[in-house]
Amino acid sequence: MELIPVPHQMERPTGFLEVGDGFGIEAGPGTEGTARWLRATLGAASGLALPPKKGDEYDVLHLSVRPGLDAEAYRLGIAPHGIHLHGGSPAGVFWGAQTLRQLLGPDAFRRAPLPGRTWRLPLTEIRDFPRFRWRGLMLDVARHFMPKDGVLRYLDLMAAHKLNVFHFHLTDDQGWRAEIRKYPRLTEVGAWRERTKFGHRASPLWEEKPHGGYYTQDDIREIVAYAAERHITVVPEIDVPGHSQAAIAAYPELGNTDVIDTNALSVWDTWGINPNVLAPTDNTLRFYEGVFEEVLELFPSEFIHVGGDECLKDQWRQSPTAQERIRELGLKDEDELQAWFIGHFDKWLAARGRRLIGWDEILEGGLAEGAAVSSWRGYAGGVAAARAGHDVVMCPEQQVYLDHRQDAGADEPVPIGHVRTLEDVYRFEPVPAELTPQEARHVLGTQANVWTEVMEDHARVDYQAFPRLAAFAEVAWSSLPAPAERDFAGFERRMAAHYARLDALGVAYRPPTGPRPWQRRPGVLGRPIDGPPPNR
């Protein structure tokens, strides 16, 4: 019964239900997808066929949608004669199936049965529902490309932790990862860099070989469909107007050609904030409208993320074209010019039934009415946005950036930022205390972010994400008390069981005792920041 995330209400077991060859599934309307998932995953792990069965028989898992429940809520009852799993929607049924899988034990997370294994479930009654509707993970595939199979694997890991929004960071200075058929050079040129900085940008080390890759449109359709089967929404991010050197390298006319020779630019091979930003011209707007037209065809999500962060304005200050645009529009300064740029796409997306979301810099210079904000520079942006009536996703860097180091020890690989331990993440509170109840309703939820500058492969991503992503998932799903009152010792006890599940899934997590020898990166320079992070 060591469940993560912890359910809202759970009766302790008084016995067990044996699950054997005769066990089957009755899938009511709307639950067919969960039945398929159970047969594919639990069937593979157990060797059981789990065939269709009628409801009046014993040894049946009854799946049904009960509209009286909240959409993502579920009720799971395990009795001596069978199991009843009800959800307020197909998503609720699916989240209940994730709990059922955990109750079967760690071997239920394997891909093939172990010989001699028997299966049983504790007799219990569970009532559960999520705290937030947005329970997200952002994965940066621009700095280091993650092949499609790795992305699908992370969708499975998200589903196992009841996370339901995959923020797909597809473009940046260091790479463009989404095929856009109208503009083939975005991937022909923009998806590849000649070499890669190894470690923090101050590191003298380089990986002297090309790096890159991209997802074809069929790859993206597969990723979106795979996520949808797991009730995960994929929110794409196409970064504008900063973090755009890969696009400018592919199409130099997108840059500030009256300031620099954009034809000399290549895809960036190091890290940091890049000065080469998009020119605020009609040509740039039309180009990105063409990009977003294809993005909307591929991603049915309500929200489309446009970045908007860390846009240095130096080139705009020097650009006669940008200064003329400021005068023409009657704007005060370059911050308002960026707000105009973001506002253009807010209106463009709204006209097509979508909503714009961006990092909290989009608040600077004014924000369009329907836009939402990802608050990353602490809590302040989220507070300001919620008070102004904008929806907010809380993902403050100092709390839930999982690229930040997990310990102060010298063996931590490529240590970045403040120390954020498992306990720190478990005590993270997404809703700022200073918001009124009405303002707090604008907090859609929360998200953990994984930036991959110093994560060269999926094992490094695993190490940085886990086990902290499990703690984050509980914060996002469960009705926990105030941070200081949370039972971290109890969570650690449940994590002891959860590590066995992660082992079965092949997750290269950070052990509680510290990194294993092959997880270290001796001699690779990071950027550690001492002291506690600012809590603002």
Side-chain angles (χ1 to χ4, degrees):
M1 299 291 285
E2 308 292 0
L3 299 176
I4 292 177
V6 66
H8 180 72
Q9 186 178 3
M10 175 174 57
E11 292 183 8
R12 293 297 169 185
T14 55
F16 292 92
L17 168 67
E18 299 289 337
V19 179
D21 290 333
F23 210 90
I25 299 175
E26 180 189 35
T31 71
E32 298 86 355
T34 295
R36 282 195 301 273
W37 180 86
L38 285 165
R39 291 189 179 102
T41 54
L42 296 188
S46 67
L48 302 176
L50 303 174
K53 291 187 79 171
K54 296 292 184 183
D56 56 353
E57 299 180 51
Y58 280 81
D59 292 339
V60 178
L61 167 57
H62 307 270
L63 304 176
S64 64
V65 172
R66 297 286 176 89
L69 299 174
D70 290 342
E72 291 190 282
Y74 68 90
R75 303 286 184 268
L76 176 61
I78 303 173
H81 57 278
I83 307 168
H84 288 271
L85 172 52
H86 313 304
S89 70
V93 177
F94 183 74
W95 302 131
Q98 298 297 331
T99 298
L100 185 69
R101 186 189 193 188
Q102 288 196 17
L103 291 171
L104 279 166
D107 288 342
F109 291 78
R110 297 189 180 277
R111 296 186 184 182
L114 300 180
R117 182 71 164 85
T118 59
W119 301 93
R120 63 181 193 169
L121 288 161
L123 305 183
T124 188
E125 189 82 28
I126 295 175
R127 297 170 179 267
D128 202 9
F129 55 86
R131 180 184 180 192
F132 294 110
R133 60 172 273 205
W134 186 302
R135 307 180 301 279
L137 172 68
M138 189 230 65
L139 181 62
D140 166 20
V141 297
R143 272 50 177 269
H144 277 99
F145 178 64
M146 180 178 284
K148 180 189 68 178
D149 283 354
V151 174
L152 299 180
R153 174 177 175 266
Y154 257 82
L155 291 169
D156 280 330
L157 291 172
M158 288 178 64
H161 293 83
K162 300 185 175 73
L163 299 173
N164 70 340
V165 178
F166 179 57
H167 177 166
F168 205 9
H169 185 81
L170 287 163
T171 73
D172 218 294
D173 299 302
Q174 296 86 359
W176 185 287
R177 306 296 178 213
E179 178 189 24
I180 303 297
R181 289 174 177 167
K182 187 173 182 178
Y183 305 120
R185 286 176 60 83
L186 285 173
T187 46
E188 290 171 359
V189 174
W192 307 93
R193 59 179 182 260
E194 289 300 313
R195 63 176 187 168
T196 299
K197 176 69 72 173
F198 193 40
H200 179 250
R201 61 180 175 271
S203 168
L205 304 176
W206 294 88
E207 186 178 37
E208 296 284 356
K209 67 178 183 180
H211 176 86
Y214 66 92
Y215 310 102
T216 68
Q217 293 202 353
D218 282 345
D219 289 338
I220 291 171
R221 292 186 183 96
E222 180 183 356
I223 288 166
V224 170
Y226 195 86
E229 289 174 353
R230 287 148 182 80
H231 300 277
I232 296 170
T233 299
V234 182
V235 174
E237 181 179 353
I238 304 296
D239 222 327
V240 296
H243 287 288
S244 297
Q245 182 161 320
I248 298 168
Y251 291 91
E253 65 272 20
L254 296 174
N256 294 284
T257 57
D258 54 352
V259 177
I260 63 162
D261 178 10
T262 56
N263 287 292
L265 294 178
S266 59
V267 178
W268 211 25
D269 57 11
T270 189
W271 321 122
I273 303 177
N274 190 296
N276 296 303
V277 303
L278 298 174
T281 64
D282 289 342
N283 175 68
T284 301
L285 297 181
R286 300 292 88 76
F287 183 96
Y288 273 87
E289 286 170 2
V291 169
F292 282 117
E293 282 170 0
E294 296 192 28
V295 167
L296 297 191
E297 290 177 3
L298 295 168
F299 296 94
S301 55
E302 174 187 3
F303 289 97
I304 302 294
H305 209 292
V306 301
D309 61 315
E310 298 179 330
C311 179
L312 297 180
K313 310 296 195 301
D314 295 345
Q315 289 184 357
W316 287 356
R317 293 186 186 98
Q318 300 168 37
S319 164
T321 301
Q323 293 303 309
E324 176 58 31
R325 175 123 279 182
I326 288 173
R327 288 190 293 272
E328 167 196 319
L329 295 169
L331 303 177
K332 184 173 66 176
D333 56 18
E334 290 76 18
D335 284 343
E336 287 195 359
L337 182 60
Q338 177 170 341
W340 165 81
F341 195 105
I342 296 296
H344 173 87
F345 287 104
D346 178 74
K347 296 183 186 72
W348 190 92
L349 289 167
R352 289 153 181 81
R354 307 298 186 93
R355 292 183 65 188
L356 179 145
I357 186 169
W359 302 110
D360 56 56
E361 285 95 330
I362 68 173
L363 290 163
E364 298 165 3
L367 181 57
E369 183 178 346
V373 170
S374 300
S375 184
W376 76 274
R377 294 180 299 176
Y379 287 94
V383 170
R387 286 178 173 167
H390 295 285
D391 288 338
V392 178
V393 176
M394 295 302 302
C395 48
E397 174 185 19
Q398 302 89 341
Q399 313 300 328
V400 289
Y401 269 36
L402 301 185
D403 49 309
H404 284 209
R405 58 190 175 139
Q406 304 182 65
D407 189 89
D411 288 336
E412 286 302 307
V414 200
I416 299 295
H418 296 282
V419 172
R420 290 286 82 189
T421 65
L422 182 65
E423 181 173 1
D424 291 330
V425 174
Y426 190 66
R427 297 193 189 279
F428 164 61
E429 173 48 49
V431 179
E434 57 264 49
L435 294 181
T436 67
Q438 178 145 353
E439 292 165 347
R441 281 196 278 273
H442 284 291
V443 179
L444 300 176
T446 184
Q447 178 174 290
N449 294 342
V450 180
W451 300 102
T452 61
E453 286 93 335
V454 298
M455 300 179 212
E456 69 275 10
D457 55 34
H458 86 267
R460 281 286 292 122
V461 175
D462 281 4
Y463 180 91
Q464 293 298 134
F466 288 97
R468 293 182 295 180
L469 193 64
F472 172 81
E474 185 150 309
V475 169
W477 176 277
S478 303
S479 301
L480 299 178
E485 300 167 10
R486 293 177 188 171
D487 180 10
F488 180 67
F491 176 78
E492 279 191 306
R493 186 195 67 244
R494 287 181 286 115
M495 270 307 304
H498 199 65
Y499 286 121
R501 299 178 191 126
L502 298 178
D503 286 332
L505 287 165
V507 177
Y509 58 84
R510 181 190 188 277
T513 53
R516 298 180 172 96
W518 56 88
Q519 292 174 321
R520 301 167 188 163
R521 296 291 186 277
V524 181
L525 187 65
R527 184 182 60 87
I529 303 174
D530 293 328
N535 189 21
R536 64 176 189 272

